Amino acid sequence: MTAPAISFEFFPPQSLEASFRLWDTVQVLAPLQPRFVSVTYGAGGTTRDLTREAVATLHKSSGLPVAAHLTCVNATREETLGIARDFAAAGVTDIVALRGDPPKGSTGFVSHPDGFASSVELIEGLREAGEFNIRVGAYPDTHPEATDAQANVSYLKRKFEAGASEALTQFFFEAETFFRFRDACEKAGIDAPITPGILPIENWKGAVRFAKSCGTHIPTWVVDAFDKAERDGREDLLATAICAELCSELIDGGVDTLHFYTLNRPELTRDVCHALGVTPRLALKNVA
Ligand code: FAD
């Protein structure tokens, strides 16, 4: 099996303790030499300043290529583009451009009267504003707001036509789900790279809640397996095995890039990467 190129998603820390945890996470995962790491933008735009700070600090201190998530929620076009310009001024021109989810408690996405109304509008705005490398989200299990699977794929195509260079997918449980989606994208004429998003399951109940909210289908065999693993206190072993198996099937099916949702907990991601043959590479300066 050829080792895949990997990338990692982090979220911005909201406390001093969380800052240390993020830094520990970076220390554990950086030796695996990801092609980039990304920093999320809190639902409803809630972590705007924290994301900006985390992106700038990671760029300055980690030595890793950083991508900043950016959403359209609760901001005017000028404010959103201002944040993108701040990222660029800090040296970060890779953006993961998303429409975003509304803040907790709101039922659906409502665009700001002077804001970008969709991810496509945001991508177009970024394209006009400067030299950004734009990645976008994609949904192998079909986004809950898409009218059907076809609309889900057509909308992704529009995002590439607007200027995106790569899609990172929402997490899913079975390789077949990704292959079906990839085939549908190919059939629709999409030839840009689509990188599977991988969630190593640190917390089963949390993963179930998250899956329900974003439309990820949970197969019965996974529910049964976690029920038994919880009973016997071996969730981490199961999570590592399920995740490594999923990645291995994806790689066997031709996938060569994987994007890990780390949740700022590095252990499972590290173990899965090791199982896939992605192992620490020493910088020459550390060998001499
Ligand atoms: P889009 O692709 O724009 O829309 C999703 C679906 O809805 C489309 O497939 C389409 O069928 C339909 N749709 C939407 N708008 C239209 C329209 N105008 N016309 C027709 N159909 C439409 N959320 C955050 O808040 N912060 C983050 O940092 C963050 N990071 C993420 C990273 C990744 C890799 C992914 C996959 C998701 C992330 N999300 C994040 C979640 C994301 O914001 C939500 O899934 C949101 O509901 C959709 O955003 P999007 O830009 O991917 O959706």
Side-chain angles (χ1 to χ4, degrees):
M1 179 170 67
T2 312
I6 44 150
S7 52
F8 301 125
E9 181 182 291
F10 305 134
F11 58 80
Q14 305 217 31
S15 67
L16 192 57
E17 193 192 346
S19 303
F20 278 103
R21 193 187 326 139
L22 172 58
W23 193 243
D24 286 347
T25 302
V26 172
Q27 296 306 308
V28 171
L29 297 179
L32 301 177
Q33 296 199 350
R35 63 188 174 112
F36 67 92
V37 297
S38 75
V39 181
T40 62
Y41 198 81
T46 44
T47 64
R48 192 176 302 179
D49 293 334
L50 290 171
T51 299
R52 197 161 25 197
E53 236 179 282
V55 161
T57 307
L58 276 176
H59 172 71
K60 207 162 55 184
S61 316
S62 72
L64 299 171
V66 179
H69 293 214
L70 183 61
T71 74
C72 317
V73 179
N74 212 7
T76 65
R77 285 168 180 250
E78 205 28 61
E79 284 165 346
T80 305
L81 292 177
I83 295 162
R85 279 192 292 269
D86 288 348
F87 291 144
V92 172
T93 50
D94 276 22
I95 305 273
V96 182
L98 303 138
R99 186 201 65 185
D101 279 326
K104 275 197 185 103
S106 321
T107 41
F109 176 81
V110 180
S111 61
H112 187 289
D114 298 317
F116 294 112
S118 67
S119 55
V120 168
E121 284 192 9
L122 173 61
I123 297 160
E124 287 166 350
L126 288 169
R127 261 273 157 281
E128 282 165 27
E131 293 291 305
F132 294 105
N133 175 34
I134 303 164
R135 296 187 176 92
V136 292
Y139 300 88
D141 269 310
T142 300
H143 190 279
E145 289 170 54
T147 42
D148 55 30
Q150 176 106 37
N152 186 51
V153 169
S154 307
Y155 205 70
L156 177 61
K157 190 171 183 204
R158 285 183 58 191
K159 298 202 281 190
F160 281 121
E161 286 164 355
S165 63
E166 177 180 357
L168 308 171
T169 79
Q170 189 54 275
F171 82 107
F172 53 89
F173 283 97
E174 290 178 310
E176 198 43 45
T177 306
F178 178 80
F179 294 141
R180 243 193 330 265
F181 178 65
R182 188 180 60 181
D183 288 349
C185 288
E186 264 170 35
K187 212 166 144 204
I190 295 174
D191 58 5
I194 302 176
T195 295
I198 304 293
L199 179 71
I201 296 179
E202 292 281 346
N203 172 336
W204 170 238
K205 291 200 168 56
V208 171
R209 270 196 307 275
F210 185 33
K212 282 191 180 140
S213 72
C214 67
T216 292
H217 166 69
I218 312 178
T220 316
W221 68 265
V222 176
V223 178
D224 292 344
F226 269 99
D227 279 350
K228 288 186 193 132
E230 266 188 336
R231 183 194 64 197
D232 301 342
R234 53 178 172 77
E235 296 101 303
D236 280 2
L237 273 179
L238 177 70
T240 310
I242 282 186
C243 191
E245 202 54 42
L246 170 62
C247 295
S248 158
E249 280 179 38
L250 290 168
I251 294 164
D252 286 346
V255 165
D256 56 7
T257 53
L258 296 170
H259 183 68
F260 286 89
Y261 295 107
T262 73
L263 305 181
N264 297 5
R265 301 268 180 194
E267 292 82 9
L268 287 189
T269 297
R270 177 203 56 204
D271 292 350
V272 170
C273 286
H274 286 183
L276 301 174
V278 180
T279 49
R281 280 176 256 173
L282 285 180
L284 275 181
K285 65 179 173 11
N286 297 334
V287 177

